[in-house]
Amino acid sequence: MDKQKEILNAALKLFVEFGFHGTPTSKIAKEAGVANGTLFHYYPTKEALILALYKDIKLQLTEYMYSRVNAGDSLEQAFRSIFLNTLDWAQDHKEEYYFVQQFNMSPFLSLIPKEEITRQAKPHLDMIQAGIKNKILKPLPNEFIYSLISSHIYGLSQYLSASDLSPQKQKKLISDSYDMIWDMIT
Amino acid sequence: MDKQKEILNAALKLFVEFGFHGTPTSKIAKEAGVANGTLFHYYPTKEALILALYKDIKLQLTEYMYSRVNAGDSLEQAFRSIFLNTLDWAQDHKEEYYFVQQFNMSPFLSLIPKEEITRQAKPHLDMIQAGIKNKILKPLPNEFIYSLISSHIYGLSQYLSASDLSPQKQKKLISDSYDMIWDMIT
DNA sequence: ACCTTTGTGGAGTGATTAGTCAATCTTGTT
DNA sequence: AACAAGATTGACTAATCACTCCACAAAGGT
């Protein structure tokens, strides 16, 4: 087992449960089954560990998001795939999804350079812009549409986590939700 | 000036900037202009201070939410007023609004009894249920609609904070956003 | 076999922090 | 004025925490 990965796994689990400052590095090391010093061998500071975890998770999410989008897909198909992929991922990686939200609401967010954040959002904003140009989407500010979709996904995923629906009911609700937001922005 | 209030003000400002565990009680006391011991005279623990601040802000928000809702208002009018009030409040109390989100994403949320959370949401859920019964709203789960509206407000308010629109453009966007979510759920 | 590099361990440290406490000050009441 | 009750202070403490350091082990190249 890769100790570096074990440390990230342990950190994720504990951060989600106790918060960033609520979990001492010593407990992370213990949970990961490594010595205290080993943690600091891989991550020079606790802050570096938090940032590494965030970047790692963000990378996984981004990869999965686009995983079922094909080159020939229409804009509408691509939108739908990304929406559904994101929701699938959020449901299958609740801790990770929660961690990202938690991170975004923390002072650590300011440690991520602004350019990296815009770079992350760029593909989505470009798609939205293309949608507006093609008169598929309403002529609203890109960032506004992006913000609405993001929070729509967040709201839905929160509801899915809170309620306890059967898989097929979940699927139906996710599909309906997509139609709702799609109608909203087109 | 009321020292108790000064402590809450200082705590809010610092929590938003540095996070809960990132701000020592000593700094809160200093920022508030009171001695260390005074803080613990009013709040036995740091945790108690955080909870008191949350409850205080939540109370303000709830009051303002319903402030321009009149007894004779139709369901549609009431919905609209609450939506607009919430957004006004969020824009006029950005730190407070951010704090609430931050709190909701923190382990401290679990210290609020579940019954109090449901009690907070009850008036809204009741309104939604009435709307469904009257066939004004789509027949979807109450909590789902509630979740969608909440996150829609969150997304909009985040966009408004990030962008720098003129007051009248803001008003227009808020009004349009309301129409969008209203269309979505009716 | 020898050496270098990298990984691992865990006791130890200096700094920080939540919370205490006893003394002093303020305020209001009789 | 005398008293009581609460408010305020800030030095103090016990505990905790991020991080260091140095010894040792593995791995891998020559």
Side-chain angles (χ1 to χ4, degrees):
Chain A
M1 266 285 196
D2 188 358
K3 302 215 171 193
Q4 201 169 353
K5 202 119 219 166
E6 286 293 335
I7 292 170
L8 287 184
N9 285 344
L12 171 63
K13 183 185 163 188
L14 295 172
F15 284 153
V16 164
E17 187 169 359
F18 303 109
F20 296 116
H21 294 270
T23 63
T25 51
S26 57
K27 278 208 188 109
I28 297 173
K30 204 178 194 178
E31 172 83 22
V34 303
N36 229 315
T38 306
L39 190 151
F40 287 95
H41 174 70
Y42 289 107
Y43 305 100
T45 64
K46 189 181 181 180
E47 196 177 283
L49 167 62
I50 294 172
L51 291 176
L53 181 58
Y54 176 72
K55 286 177 187 173
D56 183 63
I57 291 177
K58 257 301 182 98
L59 192 66
Q60 288 177 42
L61 170 56
T62 305
E63 256 173 39
Y64 194 89
M65 249 184 184
Y66 286 92
S67 63
R68 279 175 283 176
V69 179
N70 302 311
D73 285 355
S74 70
L75 208 65
E76 294 185 45
Q77 282 171 322
F79 259 100
R80 190 176 159 89
S81 292
I82 292 171
F83 182 93
L84 298 178
N85 283 348
T86 304
L87 265 155
D88 281 354
W89 190 88
Q91 287 305 107
D92 292 345
H93 302 81
K94 287 187 185 178
E95 284 189 338
E96 284 88 344
Y97 190 70
Y98 183 84
F99 174 84
V100 171
Q101 309 296 137
Q102 193 182 27
F103 184 93
N104 285 334
M105 281 293 161
S106 80
F108 292 104
L109 180 63
S110 63
L111 298 177
I112 307 280
K114 235 205 295 194
E115 59 194 38
E116 194 173 329
I117 295 174
T118 55
R119 198 169 48 78
Q120 292 259 5
K122 184 143 193 310
H124 304 125
L125 292 175
D126 286 348
M127 280 186 65
I128 291 168
Q129 192 147 32
I132 295 171
K133 215 166 199 169
N134 297 355
K135 309 223 172 172
I136 297 170
L137 299 180
K138 286 182 186 167
L140 293 164
N142 298 346
E143 280 94 354
F144 177 53
I145 293 180
Y146 180 56
S147 193
L148 286 188
I149 297 174
S150 299
S151 48
H152 189 77
I153 290 174
Y154 173 68
L156 171 55
S157 110
Q158 208 170 29
Y159 173 72
L160 288 176
S161 298
S163 69
D164 199 36
L165 302 171
S166 66
Q168 64 254 56
K169 279 196 178 173
Q170 279 199 19
K171 268 226 142 66
K172 172 105 171 54
L173 191 63
I174 290 175
S175 179
D176 288 352
S177 293
Y178 176 73
D179 294 339
M180 285 164 83
I181 186 82
W182 181 254
D183 287 346
M184 184 190 250
I185 59 178
T186 53
Chain B
M1 265 286 194
D2 187 359
K3 302 215 172 192
Q4 202 171 351
K5 201 119 220 165
E6 287 292 336
I7 292 170
L8 287 184
N9 286 343
L12 171 63
K13 183 184 161 187
L14 294 172
F15 284 154
V16 164
E17 188 169 357
F18 303 109
F20 294 117
H21 294 268
T23 63
T25 52
S26 57
K27 275 204 191 115
I28 297 174
K30 204 177 194 178
E31 172 83 21
V34 303
N36 229 315
T38 306
L39 189 151
F40 287 95
H41 175 68
Y42 288 108
Y43 306 100
T45 64
K46 188 182 182 181
E47 197 177 282
L49 167 61
I50 294 173
L51 290 176
L53 181 57
Y54 176 72
K55 286 176 186 174
D56 183 64
I57 290 176
K58 257 299 183 96
L59 192 67
Q60 289 177 42
L61 170 56
T62 306
E63 256 173 38
Y64 194 89
M65 249 183 183
Y66 285 91
S67 63
R68 280 174 284 177
V69 179
N70 303 311
D73 285 354
S74 70
L75 209 65
E76 294 185 44
Q77 281 171 323
F79 260 100
R80 190 175 159 89
S81 291
I82 292 171
F83 183 93
L84 298 179
N85 283 348
T86 304
L87 266 156
D88 280 355
W89 190 86
Q91 288 305 107
D92 292 345
H93 303 80
K94 288 188 185 177
E95 283 189 339
E96 284 87 346
Y97 189 70
Y98 183 83
F99 174 85
V100 171
Q101 310 295 136
Q102 194 182 26
F103 184 93
N104 284 334
M105 283 291 158
S106 80
F108 293 104
L109 180 63
S110 63
L111 298 176
I112 306 281
K114 235 207 293 192
E115 59 194 34
E116 192 173 331
I117 294 175
T118 56
R119 199 169 48 78
Q120 292 258 6
K122 180 139 195 311
H124 304 124
L125 292 175
D126 286 348
M127 280 186 66
I128 291 169
Q129 191 147 34
I132 295 172
K133 214 166 199 172
N134 296 355
K135 311 225 170 168
I136 298 170
L137 299 181
K138 287 182 185 166
L140 293 163
N142 298 346
E143 280 93 354
F144 177 53
I145 293 180
Y146 180 56
S147 194
L148 286 189
I149 297 174
S150 298
S151 49
H152 188 77
I153 289 175
Y154 173 67
L156 172 54
S157 111
Q158 208 171 30
Y159 173 71
L160 288 175
S161 298
S163 70
D164 197 36
L165 301 172
S166 66
Q168 63 255 55
K169 279 195 178 173
Q170 279 199 19
K171 268 227 143 68
K172 173 107 172 51
L173 190 64
I174 290 175
S175 178
D176 288 351
S177 294
Y178 176 73
D179 294 339
M180 286 165 81
I181 186 83
W182 181 253
D183 288 346
M184 181 190 253
I185 60 177
T186 52

